[in-house]
Amino acid sequence: MPLLSETPVRVRRFGRAQRWVHRATAALMGVCVASAGCLYLPALAELVGRRRLVVTVHEWSGLLLAVPVLFGLASRALRADLGRLGRFGPHDGVWLRSALRRRGERPAGKFNAGQKVYAGWLAGAVLVMLGTGLLMWLTGLAPLVLRTGATFVHDWLALTLGVVVAGHIGMALRDPEARRGLRTGSVDRRWAEREHPLWRHGG
């Protein structure tokens, strides 16, 4: 990976594996959220119809959510990025405090603290959704009281997930260079030095 201080105008940020995993996961998440909307919002349910088909699409898109990451683990670059996302340093605390105050420096490595928090929360939410979804789907796994609790958790977490994902999309729409990095694999050097100043130090 080129150092951020080198002369090329663009620097490599993501390889093919990272971009493929992000796109596949985003597509499955989109199908999962859209099908959930069709199941729980009467206006959409009436518009789409065919509830049994929508249920099947929702179940399988949810089950397949983890598959892109599992396949992507064959990539050393993706494993390195997952390690960065799961590793917090002192600079991440500074970033979060500055973000909450809406002022001050925001030091970040390849991923900023907000991206790390989002990735960790999303991974946990997907696992809970998978577990509660299985209890709802395979009714013989647990007694009625547990299935009722699973339905409650699944429904409210799904609503929260939809709001958080919408926020993630909104932030992405405000940063065209970040989107370009996920689309092409490279970003402008000046953007990288401004948004991720510690990246060149291996962060």
Side-chain angles (χ1 to χ4, degrees), residues 15 17-18 71-84 110:
Q18 294 106 309
F71 273 102
L73 289 176
S75 164
R76 181 182 299 177
L78 180 67
R79 294 197 304 273
D81 276 354
L82 291 176
R84 291 186 182 98
K110 186 173 184 180

Side-chain angles (χ1 to χ4, degrees), residues 19-82:
R19 302 200 310 274
W20 178 86
V21 167
H22 186 271
R23 291 170 187 168
T25 303
L28 286 168
M29 180 66 75
V31 172
C32 205
V33 171
S35 57
C38 293
L39 291 173
Y40 289 100
L41 299 176
L44 289 177
E46 292 175 6
L47 181 65
V48 175
R50 305 189 68 179
R51 182 178 176 84
R52 184 62 250 171
L53 175 61
V54 175
V55 168
T56 301
V57 169
H58 182 72
E59 291 169 343
W60 282 101
S61 60
L63 285 172
L64 293 173
L65 261 176
V67 172
V69 174
L70 292 176
F71 273 102
L73 289 176
S75 164
R76 181 182 299 177
L78 180 67
R79 294 197 304 273
D81 276 354
L82 291 176

Side-chain angles (χ1 to χ4, degrees), residues 77-133:
L78 180 67
R79 294 197 304 273
D81 276 354
L82 291 176
R84 291 186 182 98
L85 283 167
R87 187 168 58 246
F88 282 78
H91 62 278
D92 292 309
V94 175
W95 192 99
L96 288 171
R97 287 191 294 274
S98 296
L100 290 173
R101 293 195 301 261
R102 298 183 180 276
R103 59 184 174 83
E105 295 184 1
R106 298 187 186 185
K110 186 173 184 180
F111 302 103
N112 63 46
Q115 291 167 328
K116 293 178 180 181
V117 170
Y118 172 77
W121 185 89
L122 186 65
V126 167
L127 288 175
V128 173
M129 293 292 285
L130 179 60
T132 54

